[in-house]
C-alpha cells in the first residue's frame, strides 16, 4: 500500500499527464479542464480594455491634472511660436523694485481679506478658525498654487490640512470649497456687469446673447425645481443636495456671515484688478482704467480654467487675444500677462516663510517627542503622590532601607552553616584570628 502510494505520480507532472492521456481521462471523461488565463482583450466590461475602462482611467484626478498641465504647456508653446520669446524677456526686464513692493502690499490686502472670508465661512459651518492661522495657511496655499502644476493644489492642501486639524475632514473641505465659490461668484457677477457696460471686444456679443442665456437658465432652474417638488420621497442625492444648499446658505448668505463675505469678496476682486492695472502700467500700456478692466476680467476668468501650469497658459492666451482685439497689440497683452504672473508670484512669496516655519516647528516637535520617549521618568515627590491618589503607588526603595534584624529563632543560621560560611575562600571573616591565606582553606 505504501509502495503504491509512493510510486503514484503527483498530479500536474509530465508523468501524470502521460498516464491520464493513456487511460483516456481527458476533459470530456471526468477530468477537470485546466483553467485558462483571463483574456485581457475583452471589451465592453469594466475590467478589460473597453471604452468604460478607458473612460474610468481617464477620469482620475492625476490624469486630469496631467492633461491640464499639458494643455497649458501647449498654449504657452503656441504663444512663443507666434509671438517669440522677446515678449517674455521684455516683460521680465520691466519689473523693478517699487513694482514688487506694491505687489506685496496688494497681495497682503487680498490675502488677509480672503482669509477673513474663509474664517467667516468656517464659522457658518460651526468650525473654529482664528484669523492669524487662516492668513498663514492662505499664504501657503497661494504659493503652492503658483509653484505647482494645476493651479489648485494649494487649495486642496489647505482643505485637507484644515479638515484634519479640526477633526472633521468633510466640513473642512466644504469650507474651502464654499470660500472659493464665493470668490468665483463675485468674479462672475462683477465681470458680467463690466463686460456688458464697459467697452470691450466681447460687449456686443454678450449683449446679444445675455437675454437668451438668462431665460434658458431660469427655465432650467424652474424645471429642476418642479421635478424636485413632484417627487413623493426625496432620494439620497436629493438629501445630499439639500444639505449642501443649507450649508452654503448658512456659510455665505446668512445674516451673520453675508455682509462680511460680500465685503471681503469685493475687496479681493478689487485687489486682483489693481494688480492687473499695475502690470499694464509696468508693461508700458497707456490705456485708461476703464479700457483695462474688461480685459482684466477676461484674463481672470481664463485663470479659473483648470488648464494651466501654476496659473500660466489660458491667461496669457486670452490676454493676447483680448489686447489684440481691442487694438492694443497681442504682444503687449502677452507682456502684461507675463508681468501679472510674476507680480502674483512675488505677492505669494511669504508663503515660503510659512512653509519653512511650519517645517521647522514640526522638526522640533518630533525631536522633543523622541527625547521624551527615551528619557527615564522623573521620580514623583511624596507630596505629589499624596495629592494624586488615583496614581499607582511607587515601589519602595529597598536599597535605602536599613537591614532588618531577624529575632525569630527558627530563622537564625545554624552553627554548622555559620562555620562553613566562615571557612569559604574570599570570605570577609578571618578564620581563627589569622589572616586569610590559601593554606587555611
Amino acid at each position: 500500500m505504501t509502495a503504491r502510494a509512493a510510486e503514484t505520480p503527483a498530479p500536474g507532472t509530465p508523468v501524470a499527464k502521460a498516464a491520464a492521456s493513456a487511460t483516456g481521462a481527458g476533459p470530456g471523461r471526468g477530468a477537470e479542464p485546466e483553467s485558462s488565463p483571463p483574456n485581457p482583450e475583452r471589451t465592453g466590461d469594466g475590467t478589460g480594455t473597453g471604452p468604460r475602462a478607458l473612460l474610468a482611467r481617464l477620469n482620475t484626478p492625476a490624469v486630469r491634472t496631467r492633461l491640464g498641465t499639458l494643455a497649458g504647456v501647449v498654449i504657452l508653446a503656441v504663444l512663443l511660436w507666434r509671438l517669440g520669446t522677446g515678449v517674455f524677456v521684455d516683460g521680465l526686464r520691466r519689473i523693478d523694485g517699487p513694482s514688487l513692493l506694491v505687489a506685496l502690499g496688494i497681495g497682503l490686502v487680498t490675502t488677509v481679506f480672503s482669509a477673513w472670508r474663509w474664517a467667516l465661512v468656517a464659522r457658518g459651518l460651526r468650525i473654529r478658525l482664528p484669523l492669524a492661522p487662516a492668513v498663514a495657511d492662505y499664504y501657503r496655499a497661494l504659493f503652492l498654487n503658483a509653484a505647482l502644476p494645476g493651479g489648485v493644489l494649494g487649495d486642496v492642501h489647505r482643505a485637507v490640512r484644515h479638515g484634519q486639524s479640526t477633526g472633521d475632514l468633510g466640513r473642512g473641505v466644504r469650507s474651502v470649497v464654499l470660500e472659493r465659490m464665493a470668490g468665483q461668484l463675485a468674479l462672475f457677477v462683477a465681470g458680467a456687469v463690466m463686460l456688458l457696460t464697459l467697452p470691450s471686444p466681447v460687449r456686443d456679443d454678450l449683449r446679444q446673447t445675455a437675454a437668451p442665456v438668462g431665460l434658458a437658465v431660469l427655465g432650467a432652474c424652474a424645471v429642476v425645481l418642479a421635478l424636485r417638488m413632484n417627487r413623493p420621497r426625496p432620494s439620497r442625492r436629493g438629501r445630499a443636495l439639500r444639505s449642501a444648499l443649507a450649508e452654503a446658505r448658512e456659510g455665505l448668505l446668512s445674516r451673520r456671515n453675508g455682509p462680511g463675505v460680500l465685503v471681503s469678496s469685493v475687496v479681493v476682486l478689487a485687489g486682483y484688478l489693481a494688480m492687473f492695472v499695475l502690470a499694464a502700467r509696468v508693461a508700458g500700456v497707456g490705456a485708461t482704467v476703464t479700457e483695462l478692466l474688461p480685459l482684466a476680467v477676461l484674463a481672470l476668468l481664463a485663470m479659473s480654467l483648470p488648464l494651466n501650469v501654476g496659473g500660466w497658459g489660458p491667461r496669457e492666451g486670452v490676454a493676447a487675444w483680448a489686447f489684440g482685439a481691442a487694438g492694443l497689440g497681442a504682444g503687449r497683452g502677452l507682456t502684461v500677462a507675463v508681468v501679472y504672473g510674476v507680480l502674483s508670484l512675488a505677492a505669494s512669496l511669504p508663503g515660503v516663510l510659512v512653509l519653512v516655519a511650519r517645517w521647522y516647528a514640526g522638526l522640533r516637535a518630533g525631536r522633543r517627542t523622541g527625547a521624551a520617549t527615551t528619557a527615564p521618568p522623573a521620580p514623583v515627590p511624596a507630596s505629589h503622590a499624596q495629592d494624586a491618589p488615583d496614581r499607582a503607588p511607587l515601589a519602595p526603595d529597598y536599597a535605602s532601607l536599613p537591614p532588618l534584624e531577624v529575632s525569630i529563632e527558627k530563622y537564625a543560621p545554624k552553627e554548622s552553616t555559620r562555620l562553613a560560611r566562615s571557612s569559604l575562600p574570599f570570605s570577609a571573616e578571618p578564620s581563627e584570628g589569622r589572616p586569610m591565606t590559601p593554606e587555611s582553606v
Side-chain angles (χ1 to χ4, degrees):
M1 184 69 180
T2 307
R4 289 183 180 180
E7 293 177 359
T8 302
T13 60
V15 179
K17 292 180 179 179
S21 62
T23 57
R29 297 191 179 186
E32 295 181 2
E34 297 182 3
S35 60
S36 60
N39 186 13
E41 300 295 330
R42 289 181 301 175
T43 59
D45 56 353
T47 58
T49 58
R52 293 183 180 179
L54 182 60
L55 291 177
R57 293 177 182 177
L58 292 178
N59 192 20
T60 57
V63 174
R64 290 196 299 267
T65 302
R66 292 175 182 175
L67 291 178
T69 303
L70 180 61
V73 171
V74 170
I75 293 173
L76 292 177
V78 171
L79 290 175
L80 288 175
W81 173 56
R82 295 299 301 271
L83 301 177
T85 59
V87 178
F88 287 87
V89 176
D90 184 35
L92 296 176
R93 190 187 302 118
R94 290 176 177 272
I95 299 173
D96 52 1
S99 60
L100 292 177
L101 291 178
V102 175
L104 284 173
I106 296 174
L108 176 62
V109 174
T110 56
T111 304
V112 170
F113 276 88
S114 299
W116 180 42
R117 180 176 60 192
W118 182 27
L120 292 176
V121 174
R123 185 182 65 181
L125 299 183
R126 296 184 297 276
I127 299 177
R128 183 178 178 273
L129 180 60
L131 182 59
V135 172
D137 292 344
Y138 218 100
Y139 260 122
R140 179 179 58 189
L142 288 176
F143 175 74
L144 293 178
N145 285 339
L148 297 178
V152 295
L153 295 181
D155 293 328
V156 174
H157 181 265
R158 173 166 62 102
V160 174
R161 289 294 299 270
H162 181 230
Q164 292 177 350
S165 62
T166 56
D168 194 339
L169 183 60
R171 288 188 180 181
V173 172
R174 289 194 295 271
S175 66
V176 175
V177 172
L178 290 177
E179 185 269 329
R180 297 302 301 162
M181 186 184 300
Q184 294 297 324
L185 287 176
L187 175 60
F188 291 154
V189 174
V193 173
M194 293 181 186
L195 292 177
L196 289 173
T197 56
L198 298 178
S200 65
V202 296
R203 183 180 62 177
D204 297 336
D205 297 334
L206 286 179
R207 286 180 177 179
Q208 293 178 1
T209 59
V213 169
L215 292 177
V217 170
L218 290 178
C221 293
V223 171
V224 172
L225 183 60
L227 292 176
R228 294 291 180 183
M229 292 178 64
N230 290 331
R231 283 188 176 181
R233 189 175 182 180
S235 61
R236 182 178 301 178
R237 292 185 178 180
R239 291 193 297 268
L241 180 60
R242 186 176 301 176
S243 177
L245 291 177
E247 287 185 348
R249 183 173 60 253
E250 184 66 26
L252 302 178
L253 305 176
S254 63
R255 184 178 301 177
R256 184 175 61 172
N257 291 348
V261 171
L262 179 61
V263 171
S264 60
S265 300
V266 171
V267 173
V268 171
L269 180 59
Y272 291 158
L273 296 177
M275 185 77 75
F276 193 89
V277 173
L278 174 64
R281 293 292 180 259
V282 172
V285 177
T288 61
V289 176
T290 56
E291 293 176 353
L292 292 175
L293 287 181
L295 308 180
V297 168
L298 292 174
L300 293 177
L301 290 175
M303 286 179 59
S304 61
L305 298 176
L307 305 173
N308 56 75
V309 185
W312 297 76
R315 177 185 61 203
E316 283 71 24
V318 171
W321 168 80
F323 274 75
L328 301 176
R332 189 65 68 185
L334 182 57
T335 304
V336 172
V338 170
V339 174
Y340 180 86
V342 175
L343 294 180
S344 299
L345 179 61
S348 66
L349 285 181
V352 180
L353 302 179
V354 176
L355 283 173
V356 173
R358 296 287 175 82
W359 171 78
Y360 183 68
L363 187 62
R364 290 189 60 184
R367 290 179 179 178
R368 191 180 299 111
T369 304
T373 53
T374 56
V380 181
S383 60
H384 292 185
Q386 294 176 0
D387 296 339
D390 55 341
R391 296 181 181 177
L394 298 177
D397 191 1
Y398 293 102
S400 61
L401 296 177
L404 299 177
E405 296 181 2
V406 181
S407 59
I408 303 177
E409 184 178 358
K410 67 177 181 179
Y411 291 105
K414 296 182 180 181
E415 188 67 23
S416 60
T417 307
R418 188 180 302 170
L419 292 177
R421 184 177 60 187
S422 63
S423 62
L424 289 175
F426 306 105
S427 177
E429 299 179 0
S431 177
E432 299 180 357
R434 293 177 297 175
M436 179 61 65
T437 58
E439 291 78 10
S440 63
V441 179

